[in-house]
């Protein structure tokens, strides 16, 4: 599977602008002007691109390594609404292990295989998490620098609030006081009116106890319906590649980017009784397996994500010693928690048939209509394709007297943190390949944002190009099953409001339409649930000196020198958010922590 992606990669590289070197971007390691850099960063996603940008503000030399191809010139990446039709070329094409909580089903597990990482292929939804989430990170790590108040400066460094591309009056759709206009990555409201907007707002008036309208989705609230904010800049995706690696940054002489380089291991330089020093990164660029190495004079930073970073650590001999020995991998650091504690938010996409044709469904049914809209986007950055798939977010908490709390403690970070989320869409939800030939729809992405189920990322081979074993453990905890059923019920109540009486016909799935008992609802969610693509926790941070975790609060790998992990894997628990913005926050602080170590 990996080398299928490599073959795709090479065909792309040789048919795009990257026939050699484009500024500081290389596709052949042999063309690099040096094999020694102050810092080598692995992974050019939300975290790696930020850290590369911030370190090259100084005079440090940085090599940023990305396994995938360039994002440049890829129309379906740039056009926000085409996110649901990206295909497999820019995906690692991972699949989970069979999931006992999903009736033994494996499920697709998308991760970005392209410059920008998952920020180039995700749904662009911008939510930061609750203050409770961040204060819990501070408590769990023993570092107040991870608290909500302390990370506000990093939110501001990241966010560049932009007016929507259509210039409509946004009064009442967001709170200007909590947004920054001075950061790097664009955030905006929808730039084209969704036909369901008025009905959604009417629902907040008809059912205000469960679905109150809130001014903004990002001050950290536990309940309400808000206008969706997304990383979109003038009608185009604002990925980490388009923003932090944009034209006025990528030409810095001290920043080099190498594409198509699959990192296999980090290599030790020396060790003593207390620490192991790492100073080289090993990688390959083709299926013949020829290895290359580059040296990091100061530090290696793993930013390969919650799947990639533990995979590299394990292949490097950093992890649970018994597992490594069983595979014949020399143990360099015995850190049993590498790859453990995987947490992801389980999601079910619910659909309802409607008696209108004013949905986005024909975008993916009618090629001529799609081309017409794409032409409008190319010429003017206008039309429905300037937005991501959803228009609003709904958050809620389970009632305090829910029977599940008689068995289990509340897993949320605090009373200001939601348990469940709905994302509302005017049309069939992902994936578009499953769109029926006829009918028109509204959808809700139904998610448990405070899951209790835990899984792992592991390996079963000493070959570093073999794919990792991804076991999220979906719906293996009773809380997650209960909360997901309650979230589905909440979505049914939302679309049963009077505002939808002349519009919504029925739930599309018969299993849901006919469910009358909790047992039938449980059967439905086990058959329908999958990933929200928000994995965290596989290289968790913990207090200095603790006997558990993978990194210290400054993101150094425990008992090592010259090696940090900086991405979503370091978060001990998944935030009540889409993980893009929290990962940007982690990366902005990581850059400051790294700089402080060398000044």
């Amino acid at each position: 599977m990996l080398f299928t992606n490599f073959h795709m990669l090479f065909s792309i590289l040789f048919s795009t602008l990257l026939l050699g070197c484009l500024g500081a971007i290389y596709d052949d390691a042999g063309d690099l002007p040096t094999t020694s850099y102050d810092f080598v960063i692995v992974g050019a996603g939300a975290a790696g691109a930020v850290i590369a940008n911030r370190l090259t503000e100084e005079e440090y030399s940085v090599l940023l390594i990305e396994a995938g191809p360039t994002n440049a010139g890829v129309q379906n990446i740039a056009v926000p609404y085409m996110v649901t039709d990206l295909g497999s070329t820019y995906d690692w094409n991972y699949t989970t292990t069979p999931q006992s909580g999903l009736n033994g089903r494996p499920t697709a597990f998308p991760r970005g295989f392209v410059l920008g990482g998952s920020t180039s292929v995700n749904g662009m939804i911008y939510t930061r998490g609750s203050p409770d989430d961040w204060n819990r990170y501070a408590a769990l790590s023993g570092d107040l620098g991870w608290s909500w108040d302390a990370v506000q400066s990093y939110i501001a460094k990241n966010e560049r609030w932009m007016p929507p591309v259509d210039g409509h009056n946004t009064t009442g759709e967001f709170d200007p006081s909590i947004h920054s206009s001075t950061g790097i990555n664009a955030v905006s409201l929808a730039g084209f009116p969704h036909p369901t907007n008025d009905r959604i707002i009417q629902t907040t008036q008809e059912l205000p106890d469960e679905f109150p309208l809130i001014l903004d989705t990002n001050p950290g609230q536990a309940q309400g319906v808000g206008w969706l904010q997304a990383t979109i800049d003038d009608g185009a995706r604002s990925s980490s590649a388009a923003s932090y690696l944009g034209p006025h940054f990528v030409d810095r002489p001290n920043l080099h980017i190498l594409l198509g380089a699959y990192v296999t291991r980090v290599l030790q330089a020396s060790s003593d009784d207390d620490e192991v020093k790492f100073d080289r990164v090993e990688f390959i660029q083709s299926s013949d397996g020829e290895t290359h190495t580059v040296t990091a004079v100061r530090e290696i930073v793993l930013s390969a994500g919650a799947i990639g970073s533990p995979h590299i650590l394990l292949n490097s001999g950093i992890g649970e010693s018994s597992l490594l020995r069983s595979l014949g991998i020399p143990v360099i650091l015995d850190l049993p928690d590498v790859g453990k504690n995987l947490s992801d938010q389980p999601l079910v996409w619910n659909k309802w048939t409607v008696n209108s044709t004013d949905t986005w469904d024909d975008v993916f049914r009618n090629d001529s209509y799609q081309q017409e809209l794409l032409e409008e986007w190319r010429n003017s950055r206008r039309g429905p394709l300037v937005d991501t798939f959803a228009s609003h977010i709904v958050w809620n908490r389970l009632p305090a007297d829910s029977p599940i709390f008689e068995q289990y403690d509340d897993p949320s970070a605090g009373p200001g943190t939601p348990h469940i989320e709905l994302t509302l869409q005017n049309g069939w939800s992902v994936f578009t390949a499953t769109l029926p030939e006829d009918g028109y729809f509204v959808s809700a992405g139904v998610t448990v944002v405070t899951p209790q189920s835990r899984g792992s990322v592991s390996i079963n081979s000493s070959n570093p190009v073999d794919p990792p074993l991804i076991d999220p453990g979906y719906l293996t905890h009773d809380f997650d099953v209960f909360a997901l059923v309650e979230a589905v019920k909440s979505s049914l109540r939302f679309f049963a409001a009077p505002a939808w009486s002349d519009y919504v016909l029925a739930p599309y799935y018969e299993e849901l339409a006919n469910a009358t008992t909790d047992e039938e609802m449980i059967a439905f969610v086990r058959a329908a649930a999958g990933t929200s693509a928000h994995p965290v926790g596989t290289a968790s941070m913990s207090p200095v000196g603790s006997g558990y975790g993978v990194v210290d609060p400054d993101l150094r790998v425990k008992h090592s020198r010259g090696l940090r992990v900086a991405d979503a894997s370091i978060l001990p628990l998944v935030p009540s958010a889409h993980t893009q913005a929290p990962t940007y926050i982690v990366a902005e602080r990581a850059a400051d922590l790294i700089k402080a170590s060398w000044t």
Side-chain angles (χ1 to χ4, degrees):
M1 178 178 64
L2 168 66
F3 290 120
T4 298
N5 263 342
F6 268 118
H7 295 149
M8 292 178 185
L9 168 62
F10 291 134
S11 66
I12 291 166
L13 290 177
F14 286 105
S15 61
T16 63
L17 295 174
L18 291 176
L19 290 172
C21 166
L22 210 180
I25 302 178
Y26 301 84
D27 61 68
D28 187 336
D31 292 334
L32 290 172
T34 179
T35 59
S36 181
Y37 294 83
D38 290 322
F39 297 94
V40 177
I41 302 168
V42 179
V50 171
I51 297 168
N53 178 298
R54 295 305 186 185
L55 291 181
T56 54
E57 291 175 333
E58 315 300 332
E59 294 185 358
Y60 302 124
S61 61
V62 172
L63 176 64
L64 177 61
I65 299 177
E66 169 56 42
T70 180
N71 65 309
V74 183
Q75 178 177 265
N76 279 14
I77 287 178
V79 180
Y81 196 74
M82 298 305 288
V83 61
T84 57
D85 196 38
L86 275 170
S88 61
T89 301
Y90 304 101
D91 188 355
W92 281 94
N93 296 308
Y94 289 141
T95 301
T96 70
T97 60
Q99 296 295 288
S100 62
L102 305 183
N103 301 327
R105 287 186 295 119
T107 184
F109 202 89
R111 310 302 313 152
F113 180 80
V114 62
L115 192 65
S118 292
T119 72
S120 288
V121 300
N122 66 9
M124 294 156 279
I125 296 174
Y126 178 82
T127 53
R128 304 167 181 163
S130 72
D132 297 334
D133 287 328
W134 290 95
N135 291 336
R136 180 162 63 176
Y137 294 149
L140 290 172
S141 66
D143 181 356
L144 289 176
W146 292 110
S147 69
W148 176 252
D149 287 345
V151 300
Q152 291 305 300
S153 62
Y154 299 115
I155 292 171
K157 289 181 74 172
N158 168 251
E159 182 189 33
R160 177 170 54 88
W161 183 265
M162 295 286 292
V165 69
D166 64 357
H168 75 268
N169 184 354
T170 57
T171 302
E173 296 183 6
F174 82 113
D175 181 356
S177 70
I178 64 166
H179 291 278
S180 166
S181 61
T182 59
I184 290 179
N185 196 42
V187 179
S188 186
L189 293 162
F192 188 85
H194 293 229
T196 47
N197 285 350
D198 289 346
R199 294 179 189 273
I200 291 170
I201 300 307
Q202 185 179 339
T203 303
T204 69
Q205 297 162 356
E206 294 169 347
L207 303 176
D209 291 340
E210 184 172 5
F211 304 112
L213 182 65
I214 56 177
L215 177 59
D216 199 292
T217 57
N218 271 303
Q221 292 176 258
Q223 182 184 24
V225 179
W227 297 86
L228 186 138
Q229 300 169 15
T231 48
I232 294 174
D233 186 357
D234 193 30
R237 177 191 290 271
S238 181
S239 65
S240 67
S243 56
Y244 282 90
L245 302 178
H248 45 302
F249 299 125
V250 77
D251 285 336
R252 288 174 178 167
N254 54 338
L255 173 60
H256 295 164
I257 300 171
L258 178 63
L259 299 179
Y262 178 91
V263 170
T264 51
R265 295 185 297 166
V266 294
L267 304 175
Q268 70 177 112
S270 61
S271 64
D272 55 36
D273 291 340
D274 299 317
E275 292 181 329
V276 178
K277 177 176 172 56
F278 295 89
D279 70 346
R280 286 163 294 149
V281 174
E282 178 187 87
F283 63 92
I284 60 175
Q285 283 205 286
S286 64
S287 57
D288 63 14
E290 180 185 359
T291 60
H292 307 263
T293 60
V294 289
T295 298
V297 175
R298 297 177 189 266
E299 292 188 30
I300 299 164
V301 182
L302 291 184
S303 296
I307 307 303
S309 287
H311 191 216
I312 293 168
L313 289 173
L314 290 169
N315 282 307
S316 304
I318 304 169
E320 187 173 24
S321 59
S322 59
L323 169 67
L324 299 175
R325 289 193 182 101
S326 73
L327 297 173
I329 298 174
V331 178
I332 307 302
L333 272 179
D334 183 15
L335 289 178
D337 288 337
V338 171
K340 306 292 178 59
N341 192 44
L342 173 61
S343 180
D344 187 22
Q345 299 163 339
L347 175 149
V348 170
W349 278 105
N350 288 347
K351 292 99 168 173
W352 289 257
T353 55
V354 300
N355 66 359
S356 169
T357 60
D358 196 11
T359 70
W360 305 147
D361 296 301
D362 283 339
V363 173
F364 299 107
R365 282 201 192 109
N366 185 326
D367 287 344
S368 61
Y369 178 53
Q370 182 181 109
Q371 290 307 311
E372 176 185 324
L373 294 178
L374 286 169
E375 188 68 17
E376 181 181 19
W377 182 87
R378 286 190 291 266
N379 291 336
S380 65
R381 292 293 192 273
R382 294 292 187 271
L385 303 188
V386 302
D387 295 333
T388 189
F389 53 82
S391 62
H392 292 77
I393 286 182
V394 183
W395 280 316
N396 225 319
R397 283 181 62 81
L398 300 178
D401 60 357
S402 295
I404 195 68
F405 294 133
E406 297 174 7
Q407 300 174 266
Y408 303 102
D409 292 336
D410 181 353
S412 72
T417 301
H419 296 116
I420 60 177
E421 175 191 277
L422 314 179
T423 52
L424 307 178
Q425 181 178 348
N426 176 48
W428 186 267
S429 57
V430 294
F431 297 97
T432 57
T434 63
L435 175 64
E437 293 182 1
D438 52 26
Y440 295 87
F441 307 92
V442 292
S443 303
V446 177
T447 309
V448 179
V449 295
T450 56
Q452 285 282 70
S453 300
R454 296 292 181 269
S456 64
V457 174
S458 190
I459 56 176
N460 61 359
S461 159
S462 60
N463 186 346
V465 303
D466 285 346
L469 301 177
I470 303 170
D471 178 13
Y474 292 126
L475 302 187
T476 53
H477 194 284
D478 291 343
F479 175 84
D480 297 6
V481 178
F482 179 89
L484 192 53
V485 166
E486 292 304 306
V488 170
K489 291 177 181 178
S490 180
S491 70
L492 290 169
R493 290 191 294 270
F494 188 91
F495 285 110
W500 306 94
S501 61
D502 63 344
Y503 190 79
V504 167
L505 298 176
Y508 175 75
Y509 296 115
E510 290 184 4
E511 299 88 343
L512 179 58
N514 296 331
T516 59
T517 66
D518 281 352
E519 289 73 20
E520 291 170 328
M521 294 284 279
I522 290 170
F524 170 73
V525 300
R526 288 198 188 279
T531 181
S532 62
H534 298 155
V536 305
T538 51
S540 292
M541 62 178 169
S542 61
V544 174
S546 62
Y548 59 92
V550 177
V551 300
D552 287 335
D554 63 1
L555 310 186
R556 298 177 195 264
V557 173
K558 291 178 180 292
H559 312 300
S560 79
R561 286 181 292 131
L563 180 62
R564 297 190 206 227
V565 180
D567 54 35
S569 69
I570 65 94
L571 297 175
L573 298 163
V574 68
S576 58
H578 296 244
T579 47
Q580 172 180 227
T583 304
Y584 278 131
I585 296 167
V586 166
E588 286 283 9
R589 184 168 191 233
D592 272 5
L593 291 169
I594 294 168
K595 287 181 180 181
S597 298
W598 297 98
T599 55

